[in-house]
Amino acid sequence: MDAVNPARPGGRREALVKAAAEMFFEQGYAATSIDAIIARAGGSKRNIYNEFGNKEGLFASIVSENAERILSALRIDEIEGRDLRETLMVFGTRLMDGYMSPALIGAYRTVVTEADRFPGLVRSFYEQGPGRATARLAEVLEEARDRGEIQTDDCARVAGHFVGMVRDNLHLQVVLGLRPPPSEDETKVAVASAVQVFLRGVRADPAG
Amino acid sequence: MDAVNPARPGGRREALVKAAAEMFFEQGYAATSIDAIIARAGGSKRNIYNEFGNKEGLFASIVSENAERILSALRIDEIEGRDLRETLMVFGTRLMDGYMSPALIGAYRTVVTEADRFPGLVRSFYEQGPGRATARLAEVLEEARDRGEIQTDDCARVAGHFVGMVRDNLHLQVVLGLRPPPSEDETKVAVASAVQVFLRGVRADPAG
DNA sequence: CTTGACTGGTAACGTCCATTACCATATCTG
DNA sequence: CAGATATGGTAATGGACGTTACCAGTCAAG
């Protein structure tokens, strides 16, 4: 019953999800037609309606099934470095790369546009991605504070500051299509600058 | 010839622009139909097509005619304070209020969505708003650096850091509809925290 | 009054698209 | 093979909507 069609190694559902994800996140929900998805994925519309009910169901499925993959760029659980500066450099670089990846830029545009239509999806999207990354950084900062390296009242808040500094106006410009994602060198310079300001801003020393 | 119709004090064009701006920025470009605009503004479709050519022309007109008003929240040209900290507090508060205003949140959503269709509009939108505010802050920081109050290689870059810290994850959450705009108190706390970290991060002192 | 330009209202046209229906295969179960 | 089920392909249905057309009423100018 559940055996995969021998002539189709991947299975219809996977092909549909893959094609739909690409097209939704590239062109947006409204601009992507069912016909176009079928044209790319192969098969027939019956497949979509049997499997997902309707277009909204397809969209909900592809977001939840692709969120993990797309947001894995922001899934920064193990951040280690010789010291806090290196840790922040690594974290900031991964954060920048994740936010600037075409996949996440496309997903961001789409999710912003359809926020009203799919409130539940938007919440899980935020919590799995930006929220989780910020929370993880806050934990790292807690540890640094316990070690006496930094000084702050609210680690979660300053974690947000750091994330904001890294995202900067760069993310806005890329989302608006005003400039391409930064190169590796540009990323390094931008992150290093953010780390420098941040570290001086929060480090523990007796300067009132 | 140009005399206003006595029965219609505001003039058709103004009413159309006003209604179209509200609806485009609330619901987005695609989700706003010509019929709906007419239903709110009164008049007939002939008005729109005589005056603006088509829907895209109407959209372009309302963006350019409303950009100044909407972005005036970010038009922070005169920033003065007793000292740099107070100046940054004032600037940051106005920045936060501007970014979180419903008008700008709506415009942001719409512009992000239609970035591909109207690249010229997007550019002027950015340059009149976020770009201009950041550039103005950079000038202020240049002066502070000349006075020896802060120490940095690149005032434009750290101005971006500050703007990013203020925008933080808050902007993202509001844009996604995950939380309401911050209250006056929340704004004050958030900005004060950003100013604190930033000032410590860039101020001139001999701590290598 | 007459002409002309504009306006309001409504209907028509053409297109796009989500959704459903229909038909012909092909695969699986027995 | 019989029958059930899923699949591919294509066409039909129905609605939404941008755009244009048509008709009647209003106002300004001569």
Side-chain angles (χ1 to χ4, degrees), chain B residues 117-138:
Chain B
R117 197 197 298 259
F118 304 96
L121 285 182
V122 169
R123 181 168 297 279
S124 81
F125 185 88
Y126 177 81
E127 287 172 358
Q128 286 183 61
R132 179 178 178 137
T134 307
R136 183 69 190 99
L137 175 60

Side-chain angles (χ1 to χ4, degrees), chain B residues 8 12 43-47:
Chain B
R8 308 288 172 177
R12 272 317 60 144
S44 95
K45 302 189 195 180
R46 291 301 293 262
N47 259 316

Side-chain angles (χ1 to χ4, degrees), chain B residues 21-88:
Chain B
E22 290 171 2
M23 303 190 73
F24 277 141
F25 292 151
E26 259 173 36
Q27 312 172 8
Y29 178 82
T32 302
S33 71
I34 299 281
D35 285 315
I37 295 171
I38 289 300
R40 180 182 294 205
S44 95
K45 302 189 195 180
R46 291 301 293 262
N47 259 316
I48 289 181
Y49 288 94
N50 286 341
E51 194 72 39
F52 304 99
N54 55 23
K55 192 181 178 183
E56 289 196 0
L58 174 60
F59 183 73
S61 293
I62 70 111
V63 171
S64 62
E65 291 182 26
N66 284 87
E68 185 172 14
R69 183 177 57 77
I70 290 176
L71 294 172
S72 65
L74 297 181
R75 185 74 62 77
I76 313 173
D77 289 334
E78 15 51 65
I79 30 184
E80 294 302 331
R82 289 167 314 190
D83 54 12
L84 185 55
R85 177 179 297 271
E86 186 176 300
T87 301
L88 288 174

Side-chain angles (χ1 to χ4, degrees), chain A residues 104-206:
Chain A
L104 195 52
I105 293 286
Y108 175 82
R109 285 201 189 117
T110 305
V111 166
V112 166
T113 305
E114 305 300 328
D116 290 341
R117 197 197 298 258
F118 304 97
L121 285 181
V122 169
R123 181 168 297 279
S124 80
F125 185 88
Y126 176 82
E127 286 172 359
Q128 286 183 62
R132 179 177 179 137
T134 307
R136 183 70 190 98
L137 176 60
E139 291 173 9
V140 171
L141 294 180
E142 301 260 11
E143 297 168 12
R145 183 174 61 178
D146 291 345
R147 290 194 304 268
E149 296 181 27
I150 68 173
Q151 163 189 344
T152 176
D153 294 339
D154 189 337
C155 286
R157 183 178 299 281
V158 296
H161 291 337
F162 181 76
V163 172
M165 274 203 285
V166 171
R167 208 162 38 204
D168 212 274
N169 280 335
L170 264 177
H171 184 242
L172 179 56
Q173 288 175 289
V174 174
V175 164
L176 294 179
L178 298 177
R179 56 154 294 162
S183 70
E184 198 172 327
D185 284 349
E186 286 172 315
T187 295
K188 180 180 290 186
V189 172
V191 172
S193 174
V195 168
Q196 170 71 7
V197 172
F198 181 77
L199 265 189
R200 287 181 50 134
V202 299
R203 90 179 144 200
D205 63 18

